[in-house]
Amino acid sequence: MMQVLNSSTLDPVVLELGQRFVDAGFELSLVGGPVRDLFLGRQSPDLDFTSNATPDEILSVVKGWSDAVWEIGRAFGTIGLRKAGFIIEVTTYRAEAYDPDSRKPEVAFGDSLEADLRRRDFTMNAMALRLPTLELVDPYGGIKDLHAGVLRTPGRAEDSFSDDPLRMMRAARFVAQLGVALHPEVEGAMIQMAERIQIISAERVRDELIKLICAPQARLGVDILVSTGLADQVLPEVSALRLETDEHHRHKDVYQHSLQVLEQAAALESGPDGPVPGPDFVLRFAALMHDVGKPATRRFEAAGGVSFRHHDVVGAKLTAKRMKALRFDNDTIKAVARLVELHMRFYGYGEAGWTDSAVRRYVADAGELLERLHRLTRSDVTTRNQRKAERLAFAYDDLESRITELAAQEELAAIRPDLDGAQIMSLLGIRPGPQVGQAYKYLLNERMEDGPLGEAEAERRLRLWWVEHQPVDQADNTKAMESGNEH
């Protein structure tokens, strides 16, 4: 039975473009995610269309109508354009054929909308709206699956994932984004074919992982990656968190704890005008990875307990290594690894309290990551012991309060020595080189320990330090100069 949507649900740009193609003698349909999102009541930022027009014919139709055009996807039958703030892609009907050993599809143009829909990843993305009539084309039951909350492929799941193994990660991402469940055939195919993800480029895997981690229910998506074996291929450090336990050496389930920390960290993100606007990949990924050093550092103690000494440092290295393998940029790698490295630092405060200098170091070490570190540290409390949870929360409230007080007094976020490099060189009579850096580090340490010193006190301490640390030949010259000045 034909189903037609109300035109009021679509922007006029969609109908205008459809009419232009029909007037030129071609078919045009809105397809994929934008159609799915219409039924979910969501706004899709991009618009994807499919047509029986070739790339040259598409260019002819949109000439003079679009605000801008680009042909970077022309070899795959795709013409991109911008109109009234929308990013639009129009792709010629396709019938792809994949080389089993290749990362890229071999593209062949098709002549049927139904055949084009069959090659798409999941039934809920294999729906189309013919334009400008708004007739719904749903040959594979996408609406039914969407209402049932089930993720299913138009054809055999094994064929779909063999054609493009990245669809397996996309399945986990849709679970995280839409809260749907995997059809048993889809889940079985993912388990059976997980190793095939290895033929996909690290960059494509990375991009899907970012979307998954930033999804509303990231915990569900990560759990799918682990349960199907995909994480063994792309995030083995997370799979390894499922540590075996026994009745003699009990400890918290590190894997479930990490998923809970991820969930809690996402809940602590701020609004768009806050210090950590969500979704924040750096915070969320650090939350997921914060304990990945535990499997390598686990030790069974004689008294029956379990220790994970230095798992923060080991975890930071493992995290950086994995992110490099996934081709993340250096800034993101450094940020996530640094949070992992620092996530245990607070517990010393909770146990014994800190001096002002220790608070300054905490702020200085966190740097621009301080607000994320606050949230990561709070998220790391998953104990069921209410009294312990309240004690830790109170301690961190106290630490944040002290940071605020010190920051108001000393501008902690921009701690610098009381003398800069030029002043150090002038005072000591030295040229740029390692000695300037050593002197600067000494003054910074004094600043951390005792707060603002003032230039006069900083100069006094620097002169004393210089007598002990300058090279022998310079020390002799200094003494000779001082002796000459006395006479």
Side-chain angles (χ1 to χ4, degrees):
M1 180 178 178
M2 183 180 75
Q3 183 174 347
V4 178
L5 264 67
N6 190 317
S7 61
S8 64
T9 59
L10 290 171
D11 191 277
V13 166
V14 174
L15 302 177
E16 285 179 25
L17 186 59
Q19 192 63 56
R20 287 185 71 90
F21 272 78
V22 169
D23 291 345
F26 301 110
E27 299 175 2
L28 185 73
S29 296
L30 184 68
V31 69
V35 178
R36 176 201 68 221
D37 288 345
L38 278 174
F39 288 97
L40 292 174
R42 305 190 335 167
Q43 184 72 29
S44 185
D46 301 329
L47 297 174
D48 297 327
F49 298 86
T50 188
S51 173
N52 61 345
T54 66
D56 283 341
E57 291 167 337
I58 293 170
L59 286 169
S60 176
V61 172
V62 302
K63 183 178 181 181
W65 179 80
S66 61
D67 299 327
V69 175
W70 52 92
E71 304 179 41
I72 191 170
R74 186 189 183 102
F76 296 95
T78 299
I79 299 298
L81 56 121
R82 186 177 68 249
K83 176 69 176 181
F86 287 98
I87 300 299
I88 294 171
E89 287 190 347
V90 183
T91 302
T92 305
Y93 293 155
R94 279 155 58 167
E96 289 175 349
Y98 287 79
D99 180 341
D101 298 319
S102 174
R103 297 175 176 178
K104 298 181 180 180
E106 298 175 2
V107 178
F109 294 152
D111 55 12
S112 162
L113 174 59
E114 287 74 11
D116 180 89
L117 294 177
R118 183 177 178 81
R119 52 161 279 275
R120 295 180 181 269
D121 52 6
F122 303 105
T123 58
M124 62 179 62
N125 295 331
M127 300 185 290
L129 283 179
R130 290 191 186 274
L131 299 172
T133 62
L134 300 185
E135 172 195 346
L136 176 65
V137 181
D138 182 18
Y140 305 107
I143 286 292
K144 179 181 177 181
D145 289 340
L146 195 59
H147 286 312
V150 175
L151 199 67
R152 191 169 57 88
T153 53
R156 293 178 68 249
E158 291 84 354
D159 294 339
S160 180
F161 297 154
S162 178
D163 285 349
D164 186 359
L166 190 66
R167 288 173 174 172
M168 294 185 287
M169 285 202 65
R170 204 172 295 147
R173 189 241 297 179
F174 282 130
V175 168
Q177 282 184 334
L178 305 177
V180 297
L182 299 180
H183 189 280
E185 291 181 5
V186 170
E187 185 174 14
M190 290 170 69
I191 293 171
Q192 175 187 341
M193 304 177 68
E195 290 186 4
R196 187 160 169 74
I197 197 70
Q198 293 177 355
I199 74 166
I200 300 298
S201 70
E203 290 82 359
R204 293 183 71 203
V205 170
R206 174 202 63 207
D207 291 346
E208 277 298 326
L209 181 62
I210 292 173
K211 293 176 183 176
L212 186 158
I213 295 297
C214 291
Q217 302 183 64
R219 176 176 186 164
L220 297 180
V222 172
D223 206 27
I224 291 294
L225 293 181
V226 172
S227 64
T228 58
L230 279 169
D232 292 339
Q233 310 300 321
V234 300
L235 276 182
E237 296 81 6
V238 173
S239 292
L241 292 173
R242 297 176 295 175
L243 298 174
E244 295 181 4
T245 59
D246 60 58
E247 58 181 336
H248 302 295
H249 299 97
R250 294 186 177 182
H251 57 81
K252 185 182 297 184
D253 184 326
V254 181
Y255 172 63
Q256 290 299 328
H257 164 74
S258 297
L259 293 184
Q260 188 174 347
V261 174
L262 167 61
E263 190 173 53
Q264 293 179 173
L268 290 177
E269 291 168 340
S270 64
D273 297 325
V276 185
D280 187 87
F281 175 79
V282 169
L283 171 61
R284 294 187 182 199
F285 200 56
L288 176 63
M289 303 292 282
H290 78 285
D291 275 347
V292 295
K294 282 191 171 180
T297 58
R298 182 170 64 161
R299 299 291 182 270
F300 296 121
E301 304 295 343
V306 179
S307 66
F308 303 96
R309 292 186 180 88
H310 307 302
H311 76 272
D312 43 358
V313 177
V314 173
K317 293 178 180 178
L318 290 173
T319 298
K321 183 177 180 181
R322 176 55 48 196
M323 294 182 73
K324 287 177 183 176
L326 290 171
R327 303 292 192 272
F328 278 91
D329 64 276
N330 288 334
D331 288 343
T332 304
I333 294 172
K334 289 178 181 177
V336 175
R338 187 62 167 159
L339 285 173
V340 172
E341 182 182 1
L342 293 175
H343 84 272
M344 291 293 294
R345 184 75 65 86
F346 157 73
Y347 289 94
Y349 185 89
E351 294 165 2
W354 285 348
T355 62
D356 285 351
S357 65
V359 175
R360 293 187 192 101
R361 290 182 189 281
Y362 187 78
V363 173
D365 288 347
E368 295 179 352
L369 299 172
L370 181 62
E371 289 292 343
R372 289 185 174 112
L373 183 58
H374 287 334
R375 287 157 176 76
L376 175 59
T377 303
R378 290 185 181 276
S379 301
D380 197 20
V381 179
T382 61
T383 179
R384 295 181 181 179
N385 185 324
Q386 189 64 28
R387 184 174 297 178
K388 180 179 180 181
E390 290 175 355
R391 185 173 70 250
L392 289 170
F394 177 81
Y396 207 85
D397 287 343
D398 185 62
L399 174 58
E400 284 203 62
S401 177
R402 288 186 61 194
I403 289 172
T404 301
E405 292 172 3
L406 281 173
Q409 300 169 18
E410 306 177 15
E411 299 182 0
L412 285 185
I415 287 181
R416 299 288 185 273
D418 295 85
L419 302 177
D420 61 24
Q423 290 172 301
I424 290 171
M425 288 187 288
S426 175
L427 184 67
L428 301 181
I430 58 177
R431 297 180 178 181
Q435 292 171 331
V436 179
Q438 294 166 8
Y440 187 93
K441 185 176 180 180
Y442 163 74
L443 287 178
L444 179 59
N445 185 67
E446 294 294 290
R447 170 72 171 79
M448 289 286 189
E449 287 294 332
D450 298 327
L453 304 174
E455 288 191 14
E457 176 61 16
E459 289 180 5
R460 186 187 72 79
R461 296 191 187 191
L462 181 60
R463 290 182 187 279
L464 292 174
W465 175 87
W466 182 240
V467 170
E468 297 179 3
H469 292 82
Q470 64 182 311
V472 176
D473 55 343
Q474 286 189 316
D476 292 340
N477 290 338
T478 300
K479 290 178 180 178
M481 291 171 60
E482 292 175 349
S483 176
N485 290 335
E486 291 177 0
H487 298 288

